[in-house]
Amino acid sequence: MRRLVSIAACLGVLAATTACGGGSVPTGLATDQAGPAGQPPASSAQPEAVTADPPLAFDTSKGVSLPRTALQANMGGSVTSKFMTLRDRTGYIIAPESLSAVDVLTGGEKWNTKIEGPAADPNAHKGPFVEQSGPRPPLVTDKLAVGAVPLRMPEQGTTPGYIALAVLAVNPETGAKLWQTNTKIADDQYGISGDRSVTHVVAVTDKAVVASFTQSEGNLTVGLDPATGKQLWERKDFDAGSANGDLVVGVASKVTPDSAEVQPIALDAATGQQKWAGAKATSVELLQADPAMVVMKFNEAGTGHAFLKFLDAATGAEKFSVEGTRNLGPDSYGDCLYDEQSVLACTDSGVLTAYDAKAGTKLWSLPDAAANRVPPGGLTVAWHGALYGYTNGKQPIVLDAKTGKDLSTSVGFVPDWVSKYAAAGVDQDGSPKAYPVKK
């Protein structure tokens, strides 16, 4: 059974795997010949493509295999971790040793850019079990594709080795390497390693690139110059979670010397200066939503009660809050998906509720006994006003994000990524696959 996929950042975000590499083109597919990093493919011919925004059906007769490094799936065929960002017809994939791009309509690799330095967690993409650690999908804009991984830098004589957060920025069209910055996290002998860590890029703006390393033993977030990669600031015991204009909001740990409590705080993305701090909690998870609103799953300090909270990004003032029914830990509220336009849809204890992502107000919910309607069996992705998932009978379905009404019951495939060109996810044996838009 597919599990509900959260778009929490976490991050954005978010996202770890299968065999490392990401460089080979699946055999038996018509593809452009892959070129080296920094150069376009030898052939620029591209097949004609059907597009829709949002798409309501996919052509399952034209499936294309994707690199296994795009995702990790469990033995039941559900995606457990994502390493790919789908933008139009290009999938950008982060692996422990490289950042690569693939054309999802042909399966052809467009470029593969190496990350310099030994991977601290080379097996982050391997294994059939649910594993939440690893690198999260890269963040891609018109100017930059940026990924982050942990490195284990070797000792040099009497100078001890250390763990570093590597952030790589490339040209999103050609893969040409623009810069790589390695930030020291800790010496090996202090107990922090890259194993079972999470690395993710949270913001890419004209002012800063912000990336984080998180592990049970410690966190680190850095702000980097987007043109050169030069470090602008760093903050320990802070995990960035969402980009909100010129602010980055995240979770500060070790807020008091002898407490396990955490606290949401906002930093200036370019300087690292703290702008506001929220209430202390036993756990906080930031969700992707409208940039003007900070949305988080929040377990209240003292009671542990779970809430979905909407805060004004500029001030941290609470705009809207709803209490969840599962008060048993950091993921106790439920799973939430943002459609990248205006709706946040959350499932909690079998109830699917959609919220206005700009105002935090409730739009609709299922089940609806009066209309004889039940919620889907699960949601996997949201995109441009549409919610994609499957019915209780395991059939693909698309809902209107603003109204909750059925948009399509002839989808053909349950996607984990969607663009106007294609859907991507797993086939029956858990292998990554993409299907072009049909309508």
Side-chain angles (χ1 to χ4, degrees), residues 205-398:
T205 72
D206 290 339
K207 295 182 178 181
V209 170
V210 179
S212 290
F213 169 98
T214 65
Q215 197 179 43
S216 58
E217 289 86 357
N219 303 332
L220 174 73
T221 295
V222 295
L224 308 172
D225 183 281
T228 65
K230 180 181 178 181
Q231 182 173 303
L232 302 174
W233 56 270
E234 72 172 65
R235 180 156 178 164
K236 294 185 181 297
D237 300 320
F238 174 76
D239 181 20
S242 67
N244 301 82
D246 291 333
L247 298 180
V248 171
V249 181
V251 182
S253 55
K254 301 181 180 179
V255 293
T256 57
D258 299 317
S259 172
E261 292 178 342
V262 296
Q263 185 176 30
I265 64 173
L267 307 181
D268 184 286
T271 66
Q273 180 182 359
Q274 184 169 314
K275 295 298 185 179
W276 55 258
K280 295 178 183 178
T282 56
S283 67
V284 175
E285 181 182 344
L286 276 296
L287 306 177
Q288 300 305 307
D290 187 86
M293 192 79 72
V294 175
V295 184
M296 65 182 71
K297 290 189 283 189
F298 183 97
N299 282 78
E300 189 176 61
T303 67
H305 286 186
F307 293 86
L308 185 68
K309 291 184 177 290
F310 294 75
L311 310 182
D312 180 272
T315 65
E318 186 174 304
K319 294 290 188 178
F320 181 77
S321 178
V322 58
E323 186 168 4
T325 59
R326 293 179 287 162
N327 296 311
L328 296 173
D331 199 33
S332 56
Y333 183 83
D335 294 315
C336 298
L337 295 169
Y338 176 49
D339 75 345
E340 299 183 25
Q341 285 188 338
S342 62
V343 177
L344 184 72
C346 299
T347 301
D348 178 34
S349 300
V351 177
L352 173 61
T353 305
Y355 302 93
D356 185 315
K358 299 178 183 294
T361 53
K362 179 180 174 180
L363 296 174
W364 54 267
S365 67
L366 291 174
D368 183 346
N372 191 31
R373 298 185 67 226
V374 297
L379 295 180
T380 53
V381 66
W383 193 72
H384 288 199
L387 305 176
Y388 299 82
Y390 52 92
T391 67
N392 289 301
K394 305 300 184 289
Q395 297 302 307
I397 193 170
V398 184

Side-chain angles (χ1 to χ4, degrees), residues 146-168:
V146 188
V149 299
L151 298 181
R152 186 186 300 276
M153 307 307 291
E155 65 180 10
Q156 300 291 331
T158 57
T159 302
Y162 61 93
I163 301 301
L165 169 64
V167 181
L168 173 70

